[in-house]
Amino acid sequence: MIGVFDSGHGGLTVLDALVASFPRERFVYLGDHAAAPYGTRPGPEVLELTRAAVDVLFRRGCRLVVLACNTASAIALRGIQQEWLPATWPDNRVLGVLVPMVEAITGTPWHAVRPDWHVVPARTVGVFATLGTVASGSYPVEVAKRAPEIRVVQQACPTLAGLIEAGADRATLTAAVAVAARGLLDQMDGRAPDAVLLGCTHYPLVADLFADALPLGTEVLSQPERVAMALRAYLWRHPQYAARTGVPGAPLLLTTGDPAAVTGAATRLLRRPVEFHAWDKDLRR
Ligand code: DGL
């Protein structure tokens, strides 16, 4: 069983891509709706909440958890991998959504030592994300380490994930996305980015609005797709973390919030029936 974690139900965009990519794998998804949004929380809180959620997924029997949340990946993943896991769950693993995107932007594997001949064409990539992800600086810092020719311009969208999660109407979302796109273009003196990353799990749900608000020809990188590709490569190298039960089944969706309310909101958002269940509170330490 593979765990997938997000602050809310935006991470279902990533889960959908994983389920499509691994039809014989069992997934359990946990949305921390009771504590969302993460994007405006101080870093230590994001770390604590993420660690507690991952712990719950491990206690349910997952050996591998994907943080399908950019904010958690940017702020909490390093501490979890370097300190908490070795001390608490040394045989388990946690992956995030940031690494696959940095690899996609730079065309360079995360751990590769950059050879001199590897010249990355100079280009500008826009990153739309939460305040927390932008403040962490993770995307520009990690891209600069691997491909300094690439300019990363970040644009925080402090309210967008909340609006999407709350099921705001299309006109409200169109206006919010237009403000974000304008903010990015203003930072670039009106020049078009070569590509943009929708660096928050919720934004793929309004990818069409981003495409409409950005200059024609701007590539919109698909995070769910890239994360699925990266997980495929990871499980090929580390097959012990694939459950491979051979028994396909719908993913189990859990929430720390009110299951009925989350079920309604997620169903409206994804435009298909989605059923959330109460998480096992008792599993939280
Ligand atoms: N899921 C979070 C992310 O991908 C955004 C939502 C939140 O602020 O909780 O960054």
Side-chain angles (χ1 to χ4, degrees):
M1 212 158 47
I2 295 177
V4 178
F5 169 71
D6 184 35
S7 55
H9 47 269
L12 292 177
T13 55
V14 174
L15 179 68
D16 279 352
L18 297 183
V19 170
S21 221
F22 301 93
R24 302 193 76 76
E25 194 61 68
R26 291 304 295 266
F27 291 94
V28 50
Y29 179 97
L30 176 59
D32 193 5
H33 293 85
Y38 276 21
T40 45
R41 282 185 181 275
E45 277 183 32
V46 173
L47 173 59
E48 190 44 47
L49 289 164
T50 306
R51 209 163 40 192
V54 171
D55 197 49
V56 168
L57 288 166
F58 283 163
R59 282 154 161 266
R60 283 196 70 98
C62 301
R63 285 194 61 209
L64 174 67
V65 169
V66 177
L67 301 183
C69 174
N70 287 268
T71 312
S73 300
I75 295 174
L77 184 58
R78 196 175 296 240
I80 286 177
Q81 285 177 333
Q82 293 181 355
E83 286 153 39
W84 182 71
L85 270 188
T88 320
W89 294 94
D91 296 330
N92 291 3
R93 295 291 177 268
V94 181
L95 304 173
V97 289
L98 210 114
V99 170
M101 297 323 293
V102 171
E103 290 182 331
I105 292 169
T106 60
T108 308
W110 187 256
H111 292 296
V113 177
R114 192 163 175 259
D116 289 343
W117 48 263
H118 181 79
V119 179
V120 176
R123 57 190 201 130
T124 305
V125 177
V127 173
F128 295 101
T130 64
L131 277 175
T133 301
V134 167
S136 77
S138 298
Y139 277 113
V141 167
E142 298 300 339
V143 169
K145 278 188 206 164
R146 294 163 179 82
E149 309 82 348
I150 298 177
R151 180 180 172 215
V152 175
V153 181
Q154 302 192 97
Q155 177 61 44
C157 315
T159 59
L160 187 56
L163 288 173
I164 296 170
E165 187 114 7
D169 60 49
R170 205 148 162 92
T172 308
L173 293 174
T174 303
V177 169
V179 169
R182 175 53 44 211
L184 181 79
L185 296 175
D186 284 351
Q187 292 185 66
M188 302 181 54
D189 304 321
R191 289 201 7 249
D194 297 291
V196 295
L197 160 62
L198 307 186
C200 169
T201 46
H202 298 56
Y203 303 170
L205 294 164
V206 290
D208 58 326
L209 299 182
F210 274 100
D212 287 349
L214 289 163
L216 211 63
T218 306
E219 184 191 3
V220 180
L221 300 169
S222 167
Q223 186 164 52
E225 205 177 285
R226 296 288 178 164
V227 172
M229 279 167 60
L231 187 61
R232 179 164 297 289
Y234 183 85
L235 290 178
W236 190 77
R237 292 195 310 273
H238 305 280
Q240 67 272 33
Y241 295 110
R244 295 228 179 88
T245 55
V247 186
L252 174 64
L253 308 180
L254 301 174
T255 174
T256 60
D258 170 17
V262 172
T263 293
T267 297
R268 278 193 298 280
L269 202 66
L270 286 129
R271 298 196 193 100
R272 61 176 162 84
V274 170
E275 194 178 350
F276 271 87
H277 303 272
W279 66 309
D280 324 72
K281 215 178 259 160
D282 298 342
L283 286 181
R284 191 164 228 179
R285 296 196 238 220

